[in-house]
Amino acid sequence: MRLDNPAAADELRTRLINENKTFTRRLWVCGGPGCLAAGAAGVFAALADAVAGLGLAGSAGMSCELSGCLGLCEKGPLVQVEPEGWLYAKVTPADAPEIALETLSKGELIVRLLDDPKIPLKDDHPFYKPQRRLIMSRMGRTRPDSLEDYVAAGGYSALSKALSELGPGEVSRRVEASGLRGRGGGGFPAGRKWAACRSAPGPVKYVVANGDEGDPGAFMNRSLMEGDPFSVVEGMTLGAYAVGAAEGFIYVRHEYPLSVARLKKAVGTAEERGLLGENILGSGFSFKLRTVEGGGAFVCGESTALMASIEGREGQPRVKYVRSAERGLWDRPTLLQNVESWANVPAIVAEGPEWFKSIGAEGNPGTKVFSLVGQVRRSGLVETPLGTPVGTLVDGAGGGARPGRTIKAVQTGGPSGGCLPREKFDLPLDFDHLPAAGTIMGSGGLIVMDDLSCMVDVARYFTGFLSGESCGKCAPCREGLTLIGRILDDLCRGRGRRGDVLELASLGETLSRTALCGLGQSAANPLLSTIRYFAEEYREHEEEGFCRSGRCQGMFVPEIDADACRRCFRCAKVCPARAATVKSKREPPEIDLGACVSCGACLAECRFGALRAAPKKKTGETKARESSKPTPDDSSEAAAGRCSQAEARTGSQKEKKGPGSKRRRS
Amino acid sequence: MSRLIHFCHFLVNSDYFVGNIRAMSQFDFQTLEDLLAGTPTEPRHLLPFLQRTQEKFRHLPREALLAAAAHFSLPASRVFAVASFYKAFSLVPKGERLIAVCQGTACHLRGGPQVAASLEKRLGLKIGQTSADGRYGLESVNCLGACALAPVATVDGAVRGHLTPGRAAELL
């Protein structure tokens, strides 16, 4: 049925809300990326079978549906019970009959399925306590591909209000007054883009959504596109209405096939119902929205590269003397925002800018979805008001370090971001405080690192990633990253030389100052921030060839703390070189340092923090290495010899270049 | 950098440009024509066309690139630029069974590189290579958004989590 006037959308909502009241109890199986990967589809199928088997489906006022992401990926697959608000964790298909019988039909709590037996309510769980969900508010309450569910949950009230009462000028004014800042990373005031694009001359304008979420360790945009696609579609429709665009594009990363499918379906459904396409809600306003699938290039997340990609060219950025709002896609004024920015728009237009400003911090209104991952107890998606301290997320929602470990740092902002040390965990997460501390907000990745992570290796990892993804257009990024990568690689293989860290800092600063696009300018952030906060680790790598985290192979020896050791002997079981031997059940294992390949497997296995990496004793080999320092080839070969031995046994990755390759020095 | 090397390899082994006559005669022109028939001629449809071609042929054959250049009225160099720029495209056939190891940050921290090395060893392939019989292809992917299950890999798109170097064999 086509909705042909704004009031029709509101009538539909009233009717749907009344219909939903007939439900006495509903089960929502989390269909987020994490839970699906953990087997949520199987759980859902088993539950649906069990519900149908009991004859509860349909008429009995009960249902079981697949919802958007609930956030707590670590404990997936998750099942939420409404209206009680219980959350079952790590559900398996075998639990389905019990859930259908006890919980759905009788309303009994199954304590053994709770993550914490004392906390049945989802909202009381420490993971959800610090959260405030606006962007993710509908996830867990609606079917992602159902327009009806979206409308019943308040969707399209903003569009009908805009078309019937507000008009384009007022829509744009509300976004400008809200102080919304771009959620893709830069934090550029969205209102300035809107105003510039609205006042730009010309009959043809475009709106574009950036869903090319390429940051490793970040999946909030994916969850949004898969869990609540209509909010992006409605936000873009409002944007097009405000600036006067008739055509729009959603650019989605091709690694996310489900996101592409969900958005395409949402666009199709909205068109059928008269919420997209010609004469939207009978207002005379027309807007055509298309989904474009990316080609697998990280740089296409950069706005100008993204537009080049939509135009059918290779995704290389251009210099932004002229803003996209004036000349963007096909040189027409273009309003380009991240999908999460777009998803904020409907609520801002419907509730007003003052409401939006009441959430979050001064100059940083609203909430942000963070993906909390890495070496933390509870990984998942966390949405909090901007300005929430880092520690609240990491230690509160995330539950702190894994057993036997301590958290060392958190990396924010994806590969172009930086690392914050433990001492900075009271720093508010917003667009102003993070840059001051040498990192960025980015798209909202929070990667937790504990004492097993080597900060030099982390810098090497990100530099390697960015070097591979560099589009190659400008020399500072293409060549600079290659050089930085080589020096970091040497440091991580025990081939560090005096002056390396100074040179790295100088290269990094040059890169930041001279690269062409935002990606290049921020590419040195991981390097510079780790040098700034973890200088001691760099010094140890450079001068002593020692890695205190036990990550860089061949650069440490394991040491057992007999008091902390609980005699579980897991370390002896995982040792690939059989260097740890169990002499007696009462004593810690003995490590034969002659046989040890210093691979770090035992360190990672210990749950009691009883094993630590110690510097190598000055044996014949290391002495020879030090005395022959002036001739780099010797030392590199000696170190490479040790490394290759370790790699052969543990199967670590090997670099393409051989041990003899010469490093270029400036 | 790696793209440049990749390109140079093509220039040296320029079979790709000179064309392999035997391969030409066996080439499935019908499929290519069907693909082109439904494609508008504006250049913005180049990327979607190449994506469909990649899906059908498991790589971008020379014929398809030349046909695309004619269809979209673009220089062949620009089509080649696009085809070689994006990671989703391959100029040589990809394996029938694609194993993609996640190299995202969370996977890196939780032991992804060891899983990748173990697969490389077992298959006798490097990341980015395809086995000689065309059965297996080993790839890396930047992030799959299943960080709670790290380290993960996909086999023909299906995600497998909590891998260890030992359990990696189960993927094959």
Side-chain angles (χ1 to χ4, degrees):
Chain A
M1 186 193 70
R2 230 183 121 84
L3 303 169
D4 45 17
N5 60 71
D10 297 327
E11 280 160 24
L12 175 68
R13 182 171 316 107
T14 318
R15 184 165 63 78
L16 289 168
I17 290 173
N18 284 330
E19 276 174 22
N20 282 351
K21 279 184 189 151
T22 58
F23 282 109
T24 50
R25 195 168 290 111
R26 304 181 86 171
L27 296 176
W28 292 101
V29 181
C30 175
C35 285
L36 283 180
V43 170
F44 174 65
L47 264 176
D49 275 356
V51 172
L54 290 171
L56 297 175
S59 57
M62 294 173 192
S63 77
C64 167
E65 307 286 359
L66 212 53
S67 77
C69 181
L70 289 167
L72 185 52
C73 308
E74 188 79 45
K75 308 287 180 186
L78 302 166
V79 176
Q80 182 173 251
V81 185
E82 290 293 338
E84 283 83 355
W86 299 331
L87 185 71
Y88 290 157
K90 297 205 177 227
V91 180
T92 61
D95 299 325
E98 193 183 343
I99 296 175
L101 183 67
E102 298 294 328
T103 302
L104 189 61
S105 81
K106 296 186 192 159
E108 303 273 335
L109 180 69
I110 305 172
V111 176
R112 91 184 150 82
L113 289 175
L114 295 172
D115 178 39
D116 182 335
K118 291 190 209 82
I119 311 171
L121 289 179
K122 176 180 153 222
D123 293 340
D124 290 344
H125 193 283
F127 182 78
Y128 292 97
K129 269 242 160 114
Q131 298 201 43
R132 166 137 195 208
R133 288 166 64 123
L134 299 181
I135 295 291
M136 299 177 76
S137 64
R138 275 175 293 268
M139 296 186 207
R141 297 199 288 135
T142 60
R143 286 165 293 174
D145 52 3
S146 160
L147 180 74
E148 280 75 16
D149 284 8
Y150 179 72
V151 170
Y156 280 109
S157 59
L159 187 67
S160 62
K161 194 170 174 180
L163 294 175
S164 61
E165 304 169 27
L166 304 178
E170 174 62 13
V171 171
S172 181
R173 194 202 64 81
R174 288 192 172 202
V175 174
E176 284 162 50
S178 74
L180 172 70
R181 299 177 71 167
R183 297 295 194 247
F188 189 80
R192 294 224 321 250
K193 283 189 193 174
W194 284 57
C197 191
R198 185 171 148 71
S199 58
V204 180
K205 294 178 187 176
Y206 297 104
V207 292
V208 177
N210 182 349
D212 192 55
E213 178 179 59
D215 286 6
F219 52 103
M220 59 296 263
N221 291 353
R222 174 177 179 177
S223 284
L224 172 62
M225 293 184 283
E226 291 176 11
D228 199 12
F230 286 104
S231 65
V232 179
V233 173
E234 189 189 355
M236 292 184 76
T237 314
L238 286 162
Y241 178 63
V243 302
E247 213 176 336
F249 296 91
I250 313 177
Y251 189 90
V252 190
R253 187 174 176 228
H254 94 291
E255 282 94 335
Y256 292 169
L258 186 60
S259 302
V260 177
R262 287 261 163 88
L263 283 166
K264 277 195 173 151
K265 186 157 183 219
V267 168
T269 314
E271 269 176 9
E272 275 170 30
R273 307 299 294 265
L275 295 161
L276 264 184
E278 297 294 319
N279 196 11
I280 293 173
L281 289 178
S283 65
F285 162 61
S286 299
F287 176 55
K288 176 97 190 139
L289 189 57
R290 294 190 171 90
T291 316
V292 179
E293 203 178 323
F298 176 69
V299 71
C300 287
E302 204 276 344
S303 60
T304 54
L306 183 145
M307 291 188 285
S309 185
I310 294 179
E311 290 171 16
R313 290 183 285 127
E314 65 270 33
Q316 285 188 328
R318 62 165 173 80
V319 186
K320 287 193 218 169
Y321 299 122
V322 185
R323 292 261 165 211
S324 311
E326 287 156 38
R327 285 178 70 176
L329 199 58
W330 287 294
D331 285 341
R332 307 286 193 176
T334 303
L335 180 56
L336 188 150
Q337 296 191 118
N338 176 270
V339 285
E340 195 180 322
S341 308
W342 283 120
N344 269 304
V345 172
I348 292 173
V349 172
E351 310 279 336
E354 292 311 316
W355 165 82
F356 190 68
K357 273 202 265 188
S358 70
I359 306 159
E362 180 73 33
N364 287 275
T367 60
K368 176 83 193 78
V369 188
F370 295 96
S371 74
L372 184 66
V373 298
Q375 289 157 329
V376 64
R377 252 178 229 251
R378 290 188 287 263
S379 299
L381 289 185
V382 186
E383 182 175 355
T384 58
L386 283 168
T388 306
V390 181
T392 309
L393 271 84
V394 175
D395 298 322
R402 297 180 298 171
R405 308 255 69 97
T406 49
I407 288 175
K408 177 150 84 178
V410 60
Q411 204 268 354
T412 75
S416 323
C419 294
L420 289 173
R422 181 90 227 180
E423 306 87 78
K424 292 266 176 188
F425 274 20
D426 52 356
L427 195 78
L429 275 165
D430 63 38
F431 291 106
D432 300 319
H433 283 90
L434 289 178
T439 177
I440 56 168
M441 179 77 126
S443 55
L446 286 180
I447 293 143
V448 183
M449 296 166 183
D450 64 20
D451 50 348
L452 282 176
S453 292
C454 165
M455 302 317 283
V456 185
D457 174 68
V458 164
R460 172 174 78 153
Y461 166 76
F462 285 118
T463 306
F465 173 84
L466 290 164
S467 166
E469 293 295 339
S470 170
C471 78
K473 186 168 175 175
C474 74
C477 176
R478 187 183 64 233
E479 304 298 330
L481 283 173
T482 312
L483 269 175
I484 292 172
R486 278 190 207 159
I487 299 177
L488 285 172
D489 196 49
D490 278 356
L491 282 176
C492 290
R493 284 163 184 262
R495 300 191 297 233
R497 289 184 287 183
R498 269 186 202 283
D500 271 352
V501 179
L502 275 177
E503 191 176 342
L504 281 174
S506 143
L507 280 168
E509 272 156 30
T510 311
L511 171 58
S512 306
R513 264 190 248 133
T514 53
L516 183 144
C517 77
L519 283 182
Q521 287 155 12
S522 58
N525 278 348
L527 171 77
L528 294 175
S529 68
T530 47
I531 291 183
R532 176 168 164 189
Y533 293 119
F534 301 95
E536 186 59 17
E537 281 192 44
Y538 275 90
R539 192 194 61 74
E540 286 165 358
H541 278 75
E542 176 186 303
E543 292 176 11
E544 296 164 21
F546 166 50
C547 174
R548 64 164 79 178
S549 332
R551 177 90 192 184
C552 299
Q553 304 194 343
M555 293 176 65
F556 62 94
V557 290
E559 214 175 61
I560 297 183
D561 177 353
D563 295 333
C565 175
R566 304 271 191 89
R567 323 289 193 257
C568 71
F569 305 114
R570 294 169 71 101
C571 51
K573 278 181 207 126
V574 297
C575 180
R578 304 223 161 94
T581 44
V582 183
K583 290 272 164 66
S584 144
K585 293 262 176 207
R586 297 211 188 109
E587 292 297 310
E590 264 177 42
I591 299 174
D592 173 8
L593 294 182
C596 173
V597 294
S598 36
C599 66
C602 51
L603 274 77
E605 196 63 31
C606 186
R607 297 185 170 191
F608 311 108
L611 272 158
R612 64 183 199 94
K616 281 198 159 178
K617 298 266 161 25
K618 295 236 175 347
T619 59
E621 191 194 5
T622 42
K623 266 183 198 152
R625 177 175 159 270
E626 299 223 322
S627 63
S628 69
K629 235 180 178 173
T631 55
D633 276 1
D634 283 0
S635 70
S636 65
E637 259 159 34
R642 286 203 314 274
C643 283
S644 63
Q645 185 192 12
E647 280 162 3
R649 301 210 195 180
T650 59
S652 142
Q653 88 272 41
K654 258 188 197 165
E655 282 294 309
K656 273 174 240 156
K657 76 187 162 79
S661 69
K662 295 240 165 55
R663 188 208 290 170
R664 255 188 295 163
R665 317 231 59 170
S666 51
Chain B
M1 198 63 192
S2 59
R3 281 200 189 100
L4 195 66
I5 295 167
H6 193 63
F7 180 63
C8 293
H9 269 292
F10 268 106
L11 292 185
V12 176
N13 314 317
S14 52
D15 231 20
Y16 194 78
F17 286 120
V18 177
N20 182 326
I21 293 163
R22 195 165 57 94
M24 279 283 271
S25 63
Q26 291 172 352
F27 186 75
D28 184 2
F29 280 101
Q30 190 54 50
T31 311
L32 183 59
E33 273 169 32
D34 292 347
L35 282 171
L36 273 176
T39 310
T41 55
E42 298 140 37
R44 80 175 169 88
H45 296 283
L46 173 62
L47 215 65
F49 165 73
L50 294 180
Q51 277 159 347
R52 288 197 300 272
T53 312
Q54 172 78 40
E55 245 168 61
K56 273 261 162 22
F57 291 95
R58 283 189 284 116
H59 75 303
L60 297 180
R62 176 179 177 273
E63 293 79 1
L65 298 191
L66 293 175
H71 181 82
F72 294 105
S73 312
L74 292 171
S77 59
R78 221 189 102 185
V79 177
F80 183 76
V82 172
S84 57
F85 183 85
Y86 293 101
K87 218 174 139 187
F89 303 135
S90 168
L91 299 175
V92 289
K94 287 196 178 182
E96 282 165 39
R97 187 152 209 208
L98 272 187
I99 300 165
V101 190
C102 181
Q103 298 194 330
T105 320
C107 289
H108 180 81
L109 293 176
R110 290 196 187 177
Q114 283 81 359
V115 172
S118 150
L119 281 168
E120 283 185 332
K121 204 169 151 193
R122 243 169 252 273
L123 289 169
L125 298 172
K126 290 271 170 209
I127 295 275
Q129 289 181 339
T130 304
S131 63
D133 58 3
R135 279 185 58 208
Y136 289 105
L138 189 59
E139 288 185 341
S140 67
V141 56
N142 283 336
C143 184
L144 294 161
C147 304
L149 303 177
V152 300
T154 61
V155 181
D156 292 334
V159 181
R160 308 283 289 271
H162 294 305
L163 295 173
T164 59
R167 278 194 56 212
E170 295 167 21
L171 298 179
L172 306 181

